[in-house]
Amino acid sequence: MRYTVVGSPGDRRVALFAAACRASGLPDPDVVGWPDVLRGAPLVLAPGTVLRVDSPGESPESDALLRGPGDPARVGGGAAWYAAFTAALRRVVAAADAAGIHRTCDADEIAVMFDKRRCHARLAAAGVPVPPALPQVTGYAELRAAMAEAGEPRVFVKPAHGSSGSGVVALQTAPGRVKAVTPAAFGPGGLVNSLRLRSYETEEEVAALIGALAPDGLHVERWLPKASLDGRPFDLRVVVVGGVPTHAVARVGSGPLTNLHLGGTRGDLGAVRDLLGPDGFAAALDVCARAAACFPGTLMAGVDLLVGLGGRRVAVGEVNAFGDLLPNLTGLPGGPAEGRDTYAAQIAAAREALCST
């Protein structure tokens, strides 16, 4: 068994997966670079390999090919990124199918995951608990009108095709007051990701913020107040491999966004188990499995699970096609990935699937 990985050469994702291959007794994977794919270079996929598609990730070259030239830290260009990425992904999958090689992903499913509106609709249609969505809006005035109509003073506003918390806004309103918390900052060239949360508290600032995000499309949903660990809000990233929740990490934030690269930290998963209780924790993992089951052609899904106040309810906030970058995290005790990282768990699951065909 040997892998072909479409990824960014030198990226830590590719390096960690290669290390997992070696630890599993496999040769290093062949790497097809995203920049070559995005330029339209001929795709040569070795027969007999297993195709893994990884994130374009941290490659400024790939980002420029997807969104156009500019600061990689800028917010925006998500619609262009999405169109270029999904077209390239479909070309990769078509080449794999033409070569007759096994693949661990489905292009159409990943396209849904990267459109927050379509992903939310698919989950809701399958009965997976999600925060209620508001109607689509194209600007700040429409957003405030939709919030008033729905009776929702607190919402999350998300770029339709964003990832890693880029451009996400936690918005709360009250008579005469408004507050938006986001990692986006205004710079000379427009919005950039600042990698720290900041607040905007005037109507003019918030209107400008939403107005800058709106051209790429927005997804708006009810703000579900999160449960806390040691007084700090948290959610869960649960990795589901082959339909089974294998890894979980509690992401504890100092504000409404808990992304680890935005200042969130890994919390005590045992404390989460205590909060939910054994049955509640099992039920939470089952919700994640149900969310991943909406994408049956994709081996791995990273599910962001929101845990409500007191642990009384859960809802799926996101399903991530590339949500397995969790270094030094081993599988849930007693599960099929105990002692393995997220990449080794996927290798084992793919090997098992190949042996059963």
Side-chain angles (χ1 to χ4, degrees), residues 80 111 139 158 200 219 222 283 286 325:
K158 304 177 181 181
Y200 299 94
H219 172 67
R222 178 187 297 172
D286 181 66
L325 182 60

Side-chain angles (χ1 to χ4, degrees), residues 156 197 223-238 248-260 263-277 280-281 284-285 288 303-317:
F156 268 83
L197 299 183
W223 180 330
L224 175 65
K226 295 177 181 175
S228 62
L229 292 177
D230 296 325
R232 299 172 64 199
F234 79 92
D235 61 15
L236 296 175
R237 165 64 60 82
V238 177
V249 62
R251 307 185 304 180
V252 183
S254 55
L257 277 71
T258 58
N259 303 67
L260 297 178
T265 58
R266 293 188 184 186
D268 181 359
L269 192 62
V272 176
R273 289 176 182 268
D274 291 341
L275 173 67
L276 298 178
F281 188 73
L285 295 183
C288 296
V303 180
D304 290 348
L305 190 72
L306 312 177
V307 180
L309 291 174
R312 291 185 292 273
R313 61 174 293 195
V314 298
V316 173

